[in-house]
Amino acid sequence: MVTPLIGGIAVAAAAYAGRYSIQAWQAFKARPPTARLRKFYEGGFQSTMTRREAALILGVRESTQTDKVREAHRRVMVANHPDAGGSHYLASKINEAKDILLGRTKGTGSAF
């Protein structure tokens, strides 16, 4: 009497687990594909860099503290340094963004 009862409970548990896994898989497939990817800024550079553009380049807010700006600058420069195969143009823009956010602008804009 006990063996058929345990077998029935095992079959019912397997059926519920299968049903749950099918529902979870369908919900996973129904998610939009852009929700899993990070959205990046899709624009070129402006003629004179603004604080907003500088913050977008470094991936911080415009009102970020000085040490966070330096940390973000280091992180972005490591990935885009010319000695490591990066672009000189991008490196100059990253340095210009750091200078603008730290308040050390030299005036006219980029070297390029």
Side-chain angles (χ1 to χ4, degrees):
M1 181 72 185
V2 176
T3 306
L5 180 65
I6 293 175
I9 291 173
V11 168
Y16 279 120
R19 179 177 178 225
Y20 176 76
S21 63
I22 289 172
Q23 288 176 346
W25 176 252
Q26 288 174 348
F28 177 75
K29 287 192 331 185
R31 291 188 322 172
T34 57
R36 288 179 255 157
L37 301 175
R38 184 174 174 190
K39 179 80 172 144
F40 290 100
Y41 179 67
E42 297 177 2
F45 295 110
Q46 298 174 359
S47 59
T48 57
M49 189 175 293
T50 62
R51 286 188 62 83
R52 180 180 182 277
E53 185 180 20
L56 283 170
I57 290 170
L58 294 180
V60 296
R61 294 181 184 217
E62 293 180 41
S63 60
T64 303
Q65 300 170 355
T66 303
D67 57 337
K68 297 287 184 182
V69 171
R70 287 191 177 117
E71 180 182 322
H73 172 263
R74 177 174 168 72
R75 185 178 59 246
V76 175
M77 271 307 275
V78 164
N80 295 292
H81 199 276
D83 291 345
S87 166
H88 289 279
Y89 179 72
L90 286 179
S92 71
K93 285 296 190 177
I94 293 167
N95 287 329
E96 183 181 359
K98 181 190 78 164
D99 290 342
I100 286 179
L101 288 178
L102 294 179
R104 296 185 289 182
T105 58
K106 294 180 178 77
T108 61
S110 177
F112 290 96

